[in-house]
Amino acid sequence: MSEHPDSALVRRGYDAFNKGDMATLRTLLTADCIHHIPGSSRLSGHYKGQDNILEMYGERMELAGGSLRVELHGAYPDGRGHVMAVHKYYAERGDRGIEMPGGLWFTIVGGKITDIDECVQDIDETDAFWGPAG
């Protein structure tokens, strides 16, 4: 059975993210894509546009001292332009570590990602790990 093209797109995004390949990530996002992050940490909020999203990804990597990695467990398309991706992420920050299941809900139009909604198992733990909003 072949992989649905929307799932393959999301898988390419996860691979590029884990490699720190922002150039490839840029090609997968529409210019006005929005990434929504829950909670009240320094990273929480709505990031609109490729530049803002990629800058936030860079900040995440920097805060984690390069330790951030995400294991994709599955990418499930609905055949109508959405993919639910389930993963576990790992990171270290100072003397603290985090291992958290979560997921991303992608909206895809014309073979590009237009919207990303992020979900985590424990918003309070995630907020504590990334630190308070500035």
Side-chain angles (χ1 to χ4, degrees), residues 33 81-83 105-109 112-117:
C33 183
H82 300 101
V83 173
W105 178 256
F106 293 90
T107 301
I108 299 166
V109 176
K112 292 204 175 218
I113 299 165
T114 65
D115 197 82
I116 306 166
D117 279 302

Side-chain angles (χ1 to χ4, degrees), residues 38 41 89 98 100 118 120-131:
S41 78
Y89 77 90
I98 193 167
M100 176 82 60
E118 187 168 327
V120 295
Q121 182 181 46
D122 186 330
I123 291 173
D124 292 335
E125 184 180 344
T126 301
D127 284 347
F129 179 78
W130 293 114

Side-chain angles (χ1 to χ4, degrees), residues 20-39:
D21 182 356
M22 299 300 162
T24 295
L25 282 171
R26 182 178 295 278
T27 69
L28 305 178
L29 307 172
T30 60
D32 61 349
C33 183
I34 302 173
H35 188 136
H36 311 274
I37 300 176

Side-chain angles (χ1 to χ4, degrees), residues 19-94:
K19 293 175 183 172
D21 182 356
M22 299 300 162
T24 295
L25 282 171
R26 182 178 295 278
T27 69
L28 305 178
L29 307 172
T30 60
D32 61 349
C33 183
I34 302 173
H35 188 136
H36 311 274
I37 300 176
S40 58
S41 78
R42 67 188 303 151
L43 295 175
S44 298
H46 308 282
Y47 296 84
K48 184 170 184 175
Q50 293 172 342
D51 291 340
N52 289 325
I53 292 169
L54 296 177
E55 183 178 308
M56 177 268 295
Y57 292 167
E59 183 179 358
R60 259 188 189 178
M61 301 270 190
E62 185 179 318
L63 287 170
S67 69
L68 178 61
R69 67 185 174 85
V70 184
E71 288 181 1
L72 179 63
H73 293 280
Y76 310 109
D78 70 356
R80 297 183 325 267
H82 300 101
V83 173
M84 177 180 61
V86 178
H87 62 249
K88 185 178 276 188
Y89 77 90
Y90 306 84
E92 295 177 9
R93 186 160 181 243

